[in-house]
Amino acid sequence: SGYIIPVSGLGGDWYNRNLISDPTLRSNRNPSAPGRGNVSVSGSFTMPLRLGPWGWIQKHVVGEPATSGSATYTHVSKTDFAAAVANSDLPVGLTFEHGHTGIDEYHIFTGCKIAGFSINASSEGIATFDVQVVGQDYAQDTSSLDASASTYTSAALDHFALTMQEGGGAITNVKECSVNFTNNIDTSQYVIGSSGQIGTLPTGIASVTGSIRTLYEDDTLLTKAENH
């Protein structure tokens, strides 16, 4: 089952294959043809924040959420949230497809995981996420893997739909906020006989970093920073 994700841009090479120099000596200055090396699938996409696709991405970057409520739902995701959700490790993987629909060309990236995301929030504008992707292999086709893929239709959220909390309580003097989450996925596990594909993508220790820029009204946050 496919889902069409509204994005505002793509980044990275997405697919690359190393070329290995052939050191064979020849009777002239022309080099020997290079050999094929390992494959690398790595890229990113920028997505205006929509609740539908963000829930799906959140599951793949953090883990299956604990959901409560009936009319209005609350979804709580935590790394290795096994106490609340069975099988809360990251899903096994997924496939991304870049559809160039005007020329019937589709680029398919398989064995993918979401390596992390970043968000930069400000006092005005559409909230956007940058999502990083790593994977195993690439293929081309003239038709989509799912000709009737579902489309997320929820509207993009602006920053006026967001609130900030610090220490569990509201904070109203933040001008800018940057948050980065990464799974530190190991992309070095290549194996013999795999045609250059990476053998597995083990998930590492999760890392969260970020910063805020605030109005300087008192020493409350400064004191917390000094006290670690």
Side-chain angles (χ1 to χ4, degrees), residues 130-217:
D130 290 312
V131 182
Q132 293 81 48
V133 177
V134 294
Q136 289 183 305
D137 206 7
Y138 161 79
Q140 288 178 264
D141 207 335
T142 56
S143 60
S144 175
L145 292 172
D146 187 350
S148 57
S150 301
T151 301
Y152 288 113
T153 58
S154 55
L157 298 182
D158 58 34
H159 287 303
F160 298 135
L162 310 179
T163 60
M164 289 286 294
Q165 287 192 338
E166 185 270 326
I171 182 170
T172 59
N173 63 349
V174 175
K175 295 174 64 67
E176 296 174 359
C177 175
S178 170
V179 177
N180 304 283
F181 180 95
T182 179
N183 284 310
N184 289 304
I185 292 176
D186 186 352
T187 58
S188 66
Q189 302 300 324
Y190 289 94
V191 295
I192 296 172
S194 65
S195 300
Q197 296 178 26
I198 197 167
T200 185
L201 290 165
T203 304
I205 301 296
S207 172
V208 181
T209 59
S211 64
I212 57 174
R213 181 169 176 255
T214 73
L215 299 175
Y216 184 46
E217 298 176 316

